Amino acid sequence: TISYDFGLKLENINRRKKEFSTFPEPDIFLAIFDCLIIHDYDTNKTFLDGNPQKFAEVKNLINSSKRFTDSKNFTKSKIKSNFTKAEYLAKIEQIQEYIRQGETYQTNLTQQFRAELPEDLTPQQIFWNLRKNHPAPFASFIKRKTDYVVSISPERFFQVESGEWRVWRKNFYSPLSTLHSPLIKVSPIKGTRPRGKTLIEDLRLKNELISSKKDRAENTMIVDLLRNDIGKVCEFGSVKVEKLCDLEEHPSLFHLVSTVSGRLKKDTDYAEIIKALFPCGSITGCPKIRTMQIIDELETVNRGLSMGAIGCSMTNYELRIANYEAKNPKSQKSLHSPLSTLHSSVAIRTMVIRENEAVFNVGGGIVIDSVAEAEYQESLTKAKAIMEAIGAQ
């Protein structure tokens, strides 16, 4: 995990002292695992990978794990925001004044919810509730030393598909050629509508989002920002927009999603990628640095992990070698380079839970033609799934 506030340090932004403080959040949290449980959705098979000496221990742990069920009878959670509705609307007007002055074009404003959880509602149960009722492509559950992270993020931050692949001659130890340099992709989300209660309302809201000039303009602005960001670490001329404002459907939301990709420069490491991209432009706005300063001025609490990033990196030497040689049995070449992938999400719809208290942020991009009331309601729409999972009142 990477805290949003770490991005302020990367950009050398002098922080404003906050009126309220959230949980102490580490800039970066790392964990190393030598055994993985992997489910392949294409084959519907689940298997273990990694250190074989750990397989028996992991199997016993799985067999002894608690089975979760619907939990409709737990005590309700008490929840409050750091902003009243009137205060949030006033912040939107302040942002629009900054836009009129040419300081920013789009600013992502969030409000932070803090929920007092009942004793009978565990982080594991909350995650089960969310996975069952609001599945998301980048859902995650992380147990850290003093807290838990529960996320149902639908948004990719960036993905590096592979490390550099080098082909070697069998029985020789000099590189023959490089197949390609690693591909990086980012998929920003801008543009949201709730799902309808009926099929007719659902279709109306979907078409409203698809045809919204405002939402498409927001999305396009962030795409342009991210093209610039990944261009810092990509080969010249390789950056392209693969998808622009595609509609994605989720159980409670519609989103507009775009995808930008590029080929990484030779020997680019993950630290350079983070430096170039973090935090994601979709949760700052543009121009990035000035807009981050405005966010720091207007939001009364640190964001913490919310709006930061969650990711995992996997390296597998044997799998790529086996696949290559299986497809090329007569080849005099052999592949001897690690397959390294990195998948990361933007930590939206993400809560940190510590000692029966949960904290999470929701918000949206504010532009000059934003309607304050609609932006406030959109933030609540994004919070709906989490609030249902914790029984908020």
Side-chain angles (χ1 to χ4, degrees):
T1 65
I2 308 176
S3 164
Y4 169 85
D5 303 306
F6 179 62
L8 298 172
K9 296 179 181 179
L10 288 178
E11 300 297 349
N12 296 314
I13 295 174
N14 293 324
R15 309 245 13 223
R16 169 178 166 270
K17 186 176 180 180
K18 297 297 182 181
E19 183 179 351
F20 304 103
S21 62
T22 58
F23 295 155
E25 177 67 29
D27 287 341
I28 297 175
F29 171 82
L30 296 174
I32 299 175
F33 302 95
D34 62 355
C35 188
L36 300 175
I37 305 168
I38 299 174
H39 181 76
D40 188 331
Y41 283 91
D42 291 334
T43 63
N44 202 32
K45 294 182 178 179
T46 303
F47 57 93
L48 298 178
D49 195 12
N51 182 0
Q53 296 179 359
K54 295 282 187 177
F55 287 0
E57 179 183 341
V58 172
K59 289 178 181 178
N60 290 335
L61 184 62
I62 293 172
N63 292 332
S64 62
S65 296
K66 176 184 177 181
R67 299 297 189 266
F68 292 99
T69 58
D70 286 330
S71 52
K72 299 184 181 298
N73 298 320
F74 57 77
T75 310
K76 297 296 182 182
S77 302
K78 297 179 180 179
I79 192 166
K80 61 182 179 180
S81 171
N82 65 315
F83 288 135
T84 65
K85 180 179 179 180
E87 289 170 340
Y88 194 82
L89 300 181
K91 298 292 182 182
I92 292 174
E93 173 54 36
Q94 286 181 263
I95 290 171
Q96 290 176 320
E97 183 56 34
Y98 274 122
I99 295 173
R100 296 183 192 102
Q101 295 172 7
E103 298 282 338
T104 181
Y105 301 109
Q106 178 182 166
T107 298
N108 185 275
L109 177 69
T110 70
Q111 59 177 315
Q112 185 174 97
F113 287 101
R114 300 177 75 100
E116 183 182 332
L117 304 177
E119 293 289 340
D120 56 346
L121 183 59
T122 65
Q124 291 86 347
Q125 181 68 59
I126 293 171
F127 183 66
W128 190 91
N129 294 343
L130 288 167
R131 285 288 289 159
K132 178 176 182 293
N133 299 315
H134 300 279
F138 298 100
S140 56
F141 179 91
I142 304 170
K143 183 181 183 300
R144 303 192 296 192
K145 187 173 182 180
T146 59
D147 56 30
Y148 294 84
V149 174
V150 173
S151 177
I152 52 164
S153 173
E155 182 172 1
R156 173 185 290 128
F157 178 24
F158 68 87
Q159 172 185 341
V160 178
E161 288 194 342
S162 73
E164 192 173 54
W165 298 355
R166 292 188 181 277
V167 178
W168 300 68
R169 291 184 185 277
K170 286 184 178 179
N171 303 320
F172 291 89
Y173 293 96
S174 60
L176 180 67
S177 65
T178 298
L179 294 182
H180 62 67
S181 58
L183 182 72
I184 184 171
K185 290 184 178 181
V186 293
S187 299
I189 290 176
K190 276 295 167 192
T192 302
R193 292 292 187 280
R195 297 299 299 262
K197 296 180 181 179
T198 65
L199 288 176
I200 294 175
E201 184 184 26
D202 204 49
L203 183 61
R204 178 183 64 79
L205 290 166
K206 178 196 293 186
N207 290 333
E208 180 183 298
L209 180 57
I210 292 172
S211 61
S212 170
K213 293 182 179 179
K214 170 187 172 293
D215 289 293
R216 293 183 72 86
E218 281 187 49
N219 194 298
T220 303
M221 272 192 267
I222 300 305
V223 165
D224 196 44
L225 186 154
L226 289 176
R227 285 175 63 230
N228 178 69
D229 280 356
I230 71 169
K232 299 172 186 175
V233 290
C234 286
E235 296 174 353
F236 181 76
S238 70
V239 176
K240 62 181 180 180
V241 179
E242 295 187 1
K243 298 177 182 178
L244 184 64
C245 297
D246 273 15
L247 185 82
E248 277 193 5
E249 299 183 9
H250 297 271
S252 58
L253 297 168
F254 292 116
H255 282 311
L256 291 182
V257 184
S258 297
T259 299
V260 182
S261 68
R263 291 286 175 192
L264 288 172
K265 296 176 184 176
K266 184 179 179 180
D267 299 325
T268 300
D269 60 29
Y270 289 154
E272 292 172 295
I273 296 172
I274 294 295
K275 174 63 174 155
L277 270 66
F278 191 80
C280 182
S282 65
I283 48 76
T284 61
C286 57
K288 182 184 280 189
I289 295 177
R290 177 63 185 123
T291 302
M292 288 172 68
Q293 293 170 338
I294 292 171
I295 290 170
D296 188 57
E297 173 193 332
L298 297 180
E299 295 187 1
T300 62
V301 292
N302 297 336
R303 286 182 169 185
L305 179 57
S306 279
M307 312 297 142
I310 300 171
C312 64
S313 177
M314 295 169 284
T315 300
N316 191 319
Y317 289 80
E318 293 76 18
L319 180 61
R320 179 53 55 186
I321 295 170
N323 285 348
Y324 180 84
E325 294 186 347
K327 293 177 181 178
N328 302 275
K330 297 181 180 180
S331 174
Q332 293 302 306
K333 306 170 188 177
S334 181
L335 197 62
H336 290 277
S337 180
L339 171 65
S340 181
T341 62
L342 176 61
H343 296 265
S344 62
S345 68
V346 183
I348 58 176
R349 327 282 153 79
T350 298
M351 69 173 79
V352 175
I353 302 172
R354 179 181 296 171
E355 296 179 352
N356 297 108
E357 186 176 25
V359 176
F360 63 96
N361 288 41
V362 289
I366 309 302
V367 292
I368 191 61
D369 55 350
S370 289
V371 177
E373 177 67 30
E375 295 290 351
Y376 179 75
Q377 292 303 323
E378 180 179 314
S379 72
L380 298 183
T381 297
K382 292 173 178 176
K384 182 179 178 182
I386 291 178
M387 289 186 173
E388 287 180 352
I390 64 175
Q393 61 179 12

